[in-house]
Amino acid sequence: MKKTMLATALALGISAEAVAMSDTPETGYTETRYPIVLVHGFLGFDQLVGVDYWYKIPETLQEDGAEVYVITVSNTNFPEVRGEQVIEQVEEILAVTGAEKVNLIGHSHGGPTTRYAGSVRPDIIASVTSVSGVNKGTVVADTLIEWSDNSELFGNAFELFISGISHFVALASGNDKELAPVDSVRSMTTEASLVFNAAHPGGIPDTACGEGDYEYNGVRYYSWAGAVPTTRGVDPLDLITLTFSQFFPEGVANDGFVDPCTSNLGMVVRNDFVMNHLDEVNQLLGIHDLQETDPLAVFRTHANRLKNAGL
């Protein structure tokens, strides 16, 4: 089935990044009505130096019947630009599969990215799920942009640093889409998020830590998030989330990049998983707190939730 779909995709001129990863359904537990499309976050990728961004997540969903696509968008850019790239690739997926809609799942900056797609093209989006999305901004972006605006020295150094990482990720992952590193960070500030949310309000809660509309303009909205910056000392990526957790005021829960309350969207599955921002997508190589919920189990359960909702 996979080879047939790949051949069909190539015949239609569809990029390899928008080719299905699905196999024949087995148990049907994750067999959603519409394909699932995974959208990475800030500085994200499909695969980088042999490491998958969504480590074992597509395979886990496929095993029980889901049809899963991993797409790539600009690793740094405005959510509107990234969202248009999502729409373009979703249209390709629909052309190949004959499906009417897709279920989008976006991590981090993939939250507002997928929300944009659901907002402007509700006719082809069945649901949007935000995994620790920067839906109301993050203090990390607020602080970095404030420092950049108030210090030319820091601003220049920050632009050089973030641009270097962004271009390296793009080159190493084979992603040639347009980059806008500093603008991408600016789009994740609280101020910019307020403007974005006014234009694309679907699923956004009215309260500080509540739920939003479960359905808006025909699109279902869901979210979940972790709430701790570190989980296992053996994971080298914990150093990254621990460092950025220092930007948050004392006593404010966070996953190392996002306050879980600000990530809430639509139906909140949970916003207190014992996971950091990278554990949520099963990084690095599946290292997570072994005494707590497995990220793969969260994705499987959510696929079943979508299935039971007729999505």
Side-chain angles (χ1 to χ4, degrees):
M1 178 178 179
K2 186 188 300 183
K3 292 181 179 178
T4 301
M5 195 165 291
L6 174 58
T8 304
L10 294 177
L12 291 174
I14 295 175
S15 60
E17 65 195 10
V19 174
M21 304 175 65
S22 301
D23 288 314
T24 303
E26 294 181 4
T27 69
Y29 181 76
T30 62
E31 190 178 357
T32 55
R33 177 182 178 184
Y34 303 114
I36 294 174
V37 177
L38 304 177
V39 182
H40 64 74
F42 177 70
L43 294 176
F45 48 87
D46 176 359
Q47 187 179 80
L48 182 69
V49 293
V51 176
D52 293 328
Y53 185 94
W54 305 90
Y55 184 69
K56 289 190 175 181
I57 292 170
E59 297 86 345
T60 297
L61 296 177
Q62 290 165 194
E63 287 175 358
D64 292 324
E67 184 175 349
V68 183
Y69 292 77
V70 174
I71 64 174
T72 55
V73 296
S74 299
N75 70 62
T76 55
N77 215 312
F78 292 105
E80 294 90 343
V81 173
R82 288 160 49 93
E84 287 293 335
Q85 294 168 356
V86 168
I87 292 170
E88 180 181 0
Q89 292 175 74
V90 166
E91 290 176 335
E92 294 174 343
I93 291 168
L94 298 183
V96 170
T97 64
E100 297 176 354
K101 300 181 179 183
V102 299
N103 295 300
L104 296 178
I105 300 180
H107 173 241
S108 190
H109 203 209
T113 298
T114 52
R115 287 172 45 217
Y116 173 86
S119 175
V120 303
R121 289 300 307 274
D123 57 312
I124 61 173
I125 308 300
S127 71
V128 170
T129 300
S130 172
V131 181
S132 193
V134 282
N135 295 318
K136 289 188 176 181
T138 170
V139 68
V140 176
D142 290 343
T143 304
L144 291 173
I145 292 301
E146 181 182 0
W147 289 352
S148 296
D149 289 346
N150 293 333
S151 169
E152 182 178 358
L153 179 62
F154 180 87
N156 290 336
F158 175 65
E159 181 174 7
L160 182 64
F161 176 73
I162 203 68
S163 295
I165 295 177
S166 180
H167 283 86
F168 168 77
V169 170
L171 180 64
S173 63
N175 185 350
D176 61 357
K177 293 181 172 59
E178 181 183 3
L179 304 176
V182 176
D183 287 337
S184 186
V185 177
R186 192 176 296 276
S187 76
M188 292 185 279
T189 62
T190 301
E191 181 180 5
S193 296
L194 288 172
V195 175
F196 181 84
N197 292 346
H200 309 288
I204 291 294
D206 293 329
T207 57
C209 200
E211 295 187 305
D213 291 332
Y214 285 12
E215 183 173 332
Y216 185 88
N217 202 17
V219 179
R220 300 282 188 91
Y221 289 90
Y222 304 88
S223 64
W224 73 77
V228 295
T230 61
T231 49
R232 298 192 71 195
V234 296
D235 186 349
L237 296 187
D238 277 11
L239 294 175
I240 299 174
T241 50
L242 178 61
T243 297
F244 283 105
S245 71
Q246 306 307 307
F247 285 76
F248 291 85
E250 185 176 357
V252 174
N254 67 88
D255 66 359
F257 283 101
V258 177
D259 171 349
C261 280
T262 64
S263 75
N264 286 0
L265 184 76
M267 177 189 292
V268 179
V269 176
R270 273 185 63 179
N271 66 1
D272 62 350
F273 282 113
V274 182
M275 301 177 191
N276 64 35
H277 200 69
L278 302 174
D279 291 337
E280 293 153 356
V281 289
N282 208 34
Q283 287 295 335
L284 173 69
L285 300 176
I287 300 175
H288 60 88
D289 193 317
L290 298 180
Q291 296 181 324
E292 296 292 338
T293 307
D294 186 338
L296 297 178
V298 180
F299 276 88
R300 288 187 74 253
T301 302
H302 187 58
N304 182 255
R305 181 179 296 110
L306 294 174
K307 173 186 176 179
N308 292 337
L311 303 173

